[in-house]
Amino acid sequence: MIYVLIGCAVLLFCAAVLVLYRIVRGPTSLDRMVGVDMMTAVLIGGFTLLAASSRRGDLLPVLVVLSLIGFIGSTTLARFMPPIAPQLRQKLARRAAERAEELHQSQPFTDLRPSQHPAATSKNRTSGADSEHAGKEQL
């Protein structure tokens, strides 16, 4: 049991170091925001290991409070994030248009108007009582 706890603690420490690197060196504020959210998750994991190793049930409210802080912090940061820059928005729109054009060229749209549809041709049409009889034959 102690080996499992030590292994989990080492993994959480490695995750915390990597997340701290992302928070410090993150090229965008979104990377930093995700890093802070992940650091909260690592902290929750650390308190969980502490509660499991010491068999203390009174740490469960601390876990709930940390989870709520992480959730509220993430939603608050996401709410106040600046919008995408206009140049980046135009670049993303161009990429989406290029992908749509590639998809359209690889799978051309076939236009089947009612007059061109095989079921709407005069050969396949039946009238009145014949249509009821044809429907019964098909069943």
Side-chain angles (χ1 to χ4, degrees), residues 10-33:
V10 168
L11 287 175
L12 281 174
F13 178 76
C14 292
V17 168
L18 292 173
V19 167
L20 187 62
Y21 175 77
R22 177 50 53 199
I23 291 171
V24 172
R25 297 281 305 207
T28 65
S29 58
L30 183 63
D31 289 329
R32 289 184 177 94
M33 184 178 79

Side-chain angles (χ1 to χ4, degrees), residues 35-108:
V36 169
D37 195 30
M38 189 64 200
M39 189 60 85
T40 305
V42 169
L43 187 63
I44 291 170
F47 271 103
T48 305
L49 282 178
L50 178 65
S53 65
S54 64
R55 298 184 188 271
R56 291 179 52 189
D58 59 339
L59 290 176
L60 291 177
V62 174
L63 295 174
V64 171
V65 168
L66 283 174
S67 300
L68 287 174
I69 289 173
F71 172 73
I72 291 171
S74 297
T75 53
T76 303
L77 286 174
R79 170 70 176 97
F80 293 110
M81 287 293 295
I84 297 175
Q87 297 88 3
L88 182 60
R89 184 174 297 163
Q90 291 172 353
K91 188 176 181 180
L92 291 173
R94 276 195 306 265
R95 280 188 192 170
E98 289 171 0
R99 287 182 185 163
E101 183 64 31
E102 288 173 5
L103 181 65
H104 180 68
Q105 288 176 356
S106 66
Q107 298 174 353

